[in-house]
Amino acid sequence: METARLIKELRESTGLSRKEFSEHTGIPVRTLEDWEAGRRTPPEYIPRLIAYQLKYEELMKGRGEKLL
């Protein structure tokens, strides 16, 4: 259940809804719902990749660079 909590915390840290986060990351909404509810577990590298993406985007914002 720790992975489910981590995925949810990462999404909530962005302030985005599941739908918005889905569009932002390219992960289907249903998959996010299942991960957050603990019905399915993503491969262990997925939370790390999401965290890395969010950190990268935050760093680029700080530098004033446009993101895709």
Side-chain angles (χ1 to χ4, degrees):
M1 194 60 106
E2 185 175 314
T3 302
R5 189 178 75 242
L6 179 57
I7 296 284
K8 186 173 183 175
E9 287 174 0
L10 286 168
R11 178 183 59 79
E12 288 177 341
S13 75
T14 65
L16 298 174
S17 68
R18 280 191 189 110
K19 183 176 189 298
E20 293 166 333
F21 193 75
S22 167
E23 292 169 357
H24 184 76
T25 60
I27 300 168
V29 174
R30 184 59 174 232
T31 300
L32 285 172
E33 290 172 349
D34 287 348
W35 287 350
E36 288 184 9
R39 289 186 294 265
R40 292 176 49 202
T41 303
E44 71 177 57
Y45 64 87
I46 294 294
R48 288 194 313 260
L49 281 176
I50 293 170
Y52 178 81
Q53 176 185 354
L54 297 176
K55 182 67 173 177
Y56 175 79
E57 291 169 354
E58 189 62 33
L59 289 170
M60 292 298 105
K61 280 185 197 174
R63 295 178 66 189
E65 295 185 22
K66 288 187 176 183
L67 302 174
L68 298 177

